Amino acid sequence: MSNIVSALNQKTYADGIAEVREIGLQGMITLRGDTASTAVKSAATDVAGVDMPAPNQVNCVDQRGICWMSPDELLVLCPYETVADNLAKMRKSLDGAHALSVDVSDARAVFDLSGPHAREALAKLVPVDLSPDVFKEGMFRRSRMAQVPAAFWLHAPDTFRIITFRSQAQYAFDLLKVAVQPGSEVGFF
Amino acid sequence: MLILTCPCCGVTGEETEFHAGGEAHLKRHGPGSTADQFEEYLFMRENPKGVHFERWRHVYGCGKWFHAARSTTTLEVYGTYAAQTHEPPKDLRDTISKKVPGWTWREFQ
Ligand SMILES: [Zn+2]
């Protein structure tokens, strides 16, 4: 049996103003279809075990969750080892509905950026207003992080969870590492 | 700075989160059309100082295409609207007229 590892095998940088950590394997299923339809909604909620999020929102508990990606796309999160079973379950419940579901777990990398300075570290990299009054828990935002696409949300107070493409994992890690370098506090928020 | 609101997902972002897709509402004429019409479709573009209509894609966000009306001089965005639209919507044209009396763009005013 091969030893499956994530892009950076939980590489961590903890010497900066915030901690950067690749979280390791995370199960991810892309579900495309009419997100207003009962079939698509229940296919997502049955697997994730969380409520359907509103547009531009996320509901996520530990490794299970639903991210609202676009008007016709959801990203369903579940533990990595349960993806195959969940995908089968999802396809069964979507039988007859116009929808598409696919395992994208190995196509992505997931990072946690945590600590009291996490917000200002991420704000250096994304063209998004991250002030505490504007970017709150529950919000999900797809944007770019310097030169690569990234999606992120507040997974816990002071902890951003960030998803990038796997092929860009090293770039994203290096980028975050520079953004949290010691002595680089901005003190804006 | 050019700030656009995507009508598909509702996110307001700055220019670099989007990708410009050229002039809006170009018409490709069908079978039997003239060489001049084809040339116009391929090459002839408006280059206005002021009100302009463009296609944009929310490339780093929801990925959807949409239309935007903006000023090429001030970067003011008058409005964004669905990609599935053949001409600038009447209510948007009225909004622009209030701000820029006498504007014209192709056959619209
Ligand atoms: Zn959008």
Side-chain angles (χ1 to χ4, degrees):
Chain A
M1 187 69 192
S2 53
N3 179 28
I4 299 168
V5 293
S6 61
L8 302 179
N9 205 9
Q10 301 187 27
K11 195 168 173 179
T12 302
Y13 177 72
D15 299 329
I17 59 169
E19 183 178 297
V20 183
R21 183 170 164 269
E22 197 244 16
I23 70 161
L25 297 169
Q26 164 70 57
M28 286 178 249
I29 298 170
T30 283
L31 174 58
R32 296 204 81 142
D34 178 3
T35 53
S37 77
T38 315
V40 169
K41 273 194 273 195
S42 55
T45 53
D46 287 354
V47 162
V50 297
D51 288 341
M52 176 75 182
N56 298 309
Q57 301 271 315
V58 58
N59 283 329
C60 185
V61 182
D62 301 324
Q63 289 191 305
R64 295 178 297 106
I66 303 175
C67 309
W68 191 93
M69 299 288 276
S70 90
D72 58 2
E73 181 178 345
L74 300 172
L75 185 68
V76 180
L77 308 175
C78 60
Y80 186 87
E81 59 282 358
T82 66
V83 169
D85 287 349
N86 281 333
L87 201 53
K89 187 172 152 190
M90 206 180 245
R91 283 177 180 163
K92 202 173 164 197
S93 80
L94 283 169
D95 188 35
H98 182 65
L100 176 150
S101 54
V102 67
D103 174 10
V104 295
S105 315
D106 298 319
R108 310 277 166 84
V110 188
F111 298 89
D112 269 356
L113 175 65
S114 55
H117 295 291
R119 201 178 271 273
E120 61 178 42
L122 188 60
K124 295 176 188 177
L125 302 172
V126 297
V128 176
D129 188 350
L130 290 184
S131 58
D133 312 341
V134 177
F135 198 87
K136 297 178 174 146
E137 268 186 83
M139 288 178 71
F140 180 80
R141 179 66 189 253
R142 295 175 75 184
S143 185
R144 67 179 175 90
M145 197 161 70
Q147 300 186 47
V148 296
F152 56 85
W153 71 96
L154 272 168
H155 189 60
D158 291 338
T159 299
F160 284 93
R161 185 152 283 186
I162 306 163
I163 303 180
T164 69
F165 287 115
R166 183 183 179 116
S167 59
Q168 296 163 346
Q170 188 66 54
Y171 175 89
F173 185 85
D174 292 346
L175 201 61
L176 289 164
K177 194 174 157 185
V178 170
V180 300
Q181 66 182 278
S184 70
E185 295 92 343
V186 180
F188 186 72
F189 297 134
Chain B
M1 189 186 276
L2 178 60
I3 294 178
L4 294 161
T5 299
C6 172
C8 303
C9 67
V11 161
T12 298
E14 56 88 53
E15 186 180 349
T16 63
E17 202 176 290
F18 299 85
H19 187 80
E23 189 174 321
H25 310 302
L26 295 176
K27 183 165 187 204
R28 183 171 186 174
H29 296 269
S33 57
T34 64
D36 283 352
Q37 285 174 322
F38 193 54
E39 183 204 20
E40 191 174 315
Y41 165 71
L42 283 180
F43 302 115
M44 299 314 211
R45 296 291 181 269
E46 296 296 298
N47 185 22
K49 182 179 176 184
V51 177
H52 196 24
F53 295 86
E54 294 171 311
R55 301 167 73 224
W56 283 84
R57 184 178 173 227
H58 195 185
V59 64
Y60 286 110
C62 69
K64 305 294 182 200
W65 284 95
F66 60 94
H67 283 124
R70 68 168 180 114
S71 166
T72 57
T73 48
T74 64
L75 301 191
E76 178 181 3
V77 176
Y78 304 115
T80 54
Y81 52 102
Q84 296 78 10
T85 311
H86 295 293
E87 59 176 47
K90 180 75 171 68
D91 58 338
L92 179 59
R93 274 149 49 201
D94 292 344
T95 304
I96 298 172
S97 293
K98 283 194 196 101
K99 292 179 171 175
V100 192
W103 69 277
T104 61
W105 185 82
R106 288 191 181 262
E107 70 269 37
F108 302 103
Q109 53 195 343

